[in-house]
Amino acid sequence: VEYTNIKLEKENRVATIRLNRPDSLNAFNPALLTELSSAIADAGNDESIKALVIRGEGRAFSAGADLTYFQQTFTDTTLLPGFVAQISDVTRQIEGLPFPAIAVVHGFALAGGLELMMACDMTLVAEDARIGDQHVNFGLMPGGGSTQRLPRRVGLQRAMELLTTGKWITGAEAVKWGLALRSCPAENLDDELETILTPLRSKSRAGLALIKEVTLRGMTMSTDDGVALEAQAFVGYMTTSPHPAEGIQAFVEKRQPEF
């Protein structure tokens, strides 16, 4: 596939998607979202991949949906459901990947950019990054999941402040809020990312897939139901995948397992 709005690289068991509309701060339009969906599917279908990284080219991660595109939707309202579905589908696609997705954020992650960031399992941010929901600043409301994922991440009051006032927070503040995992100076983001990718590269992809699926599904279940789900997945994994046996054998033989 020829990509113009994104770049897809695969190297050493990691797929990296770079949003590539730097002149518009990587704003989403239908073409970018179509390419993004295709690249996520490509990464998910590649059995060698153990992690997905999403980042932005130029000065920002993403400033969200392209507001100039919305102007078209006022004259043709039939465009809106499809566009919102595209954003929603991409976030669900990321959550459905059989390995962790990591957002690496510098510059701005606003509105749809925040929604894309929250669909990832972990986020590394530049200390001086600017993060916010922002929809309300333009008389809009979220359409890609912020009203649902934000309170689950940071609690109701903090979510409500971002959603209703449109304020931005820094990368360092986002870590304190639990909205990001770690922050560092922008020039150190690659090194910080490597501390996560290095251990992931050697893990069982089958194991990663189940851990992610059970963890995310359990977030919306009662603890009892979630624990039952985990137990069922554990037994299924132990009895159908060769990886647990290899892992235990490697432990006994004092060597690294090979998955």
Side-chain angles (χ1 to χ4, degrees), residues 124-198:
L124 299 177
V125 282
E127 289 166 347
D128 62 352
R130 294 289 181 267
I131 296 163
D133 180 69
Q134 164 127 312
H135 286 98
V136 76
N137 293 343
F138 302 100
L140 303 171
M141 67 167 285
S146 264
T147 61
Q148 303 308 302
R149 288 188 182 92
L150 197 52
R152 285 173 168 85
R153 281 282 173 98
V154 303
L156 185 58
Q157 292 191 89
R158 282 172 162 171
M160 206 57 94
E161 184 182 20
L162 289 189
L163 290 166
T164 63
T165 71
K167 75 173 266 183
W168 299 352
I169 58 174
T170 65
E173 286 176 294
V175 175
K176 286 182 188 157
W177 284 25
L179 193 51
L181 176 64
R182 282 197 285 281
S183 67
C184 62
E187 61 269 23
N188 298 349
L189 280 169
D190 288 349
D191 294 339
E192 198 62 61
L193 176 61
E194 206 47 53
T195 65
I196 297 176
L197 296 182
T198 298

Side-chain angles (χ1 to χ4, degrees), residues 25-104:
L25 298 182
N26 299 317
F28 305 159
N29 60 11
L32 181 143
L33 291 168
T34 298
E35 291 183 20
L36 183 55
S37 178
S38 167
I40 294 164
D42 181 319
N45 292 329
D46 184 334
E47 288 293 328
S48 73
I49 298 298
K50 304 284 185 72
L52 172 68
V53 175
I54 301 181
R55 55 201 314 178
E57 291 284 90
R59 297 192 294 121
F61 178 73
S62 175
D66 193 329
L67 296 188
T68 55
Y69 175 75
F70 278 130
Q71 287 185 302
Q72 299 173 43
T73 68
F74 294 124
T75 49
D76 183 0
T77 52
T78 61
L79 295 171
L80 263 181
F83 184 64
V84 171
Q86 266 194 300
I87 296 177
S88 197
D89 288 350
V90 160
T91 58
R92 296 300 296 274
Q93 241 185 313
I94 293 167
E95 289 172 337
L97 284 171
F99 42 71
I102 301 143
V104 179

Side-chain angles (χ1 to χ4, degrees), residues 213-259:
E213 181 191 351
V214 170
T215 303
L216 290 183
R217 281 180 60 191
M219 289 286 287
T220 57
M221 291 180 171
S222 71
T223 304
D224 284 351
D225 288 348
V227 170
L229 175 70
E230 181 191 87
Q232 183 186 9
F234 173 82
V235 172
Y237 179 49
M238 293 291 281
T239 52
T240 59
S241 172
H243 290 184
E246 161 61 13
I248 292 168
Q249 190 66 27
F251 170 76
V252 171
E253 295 172 6
K254 295 185 170 54
R255 61 174 174 83
Q256 286 297 311
E258 291 178 27
F259 301 124

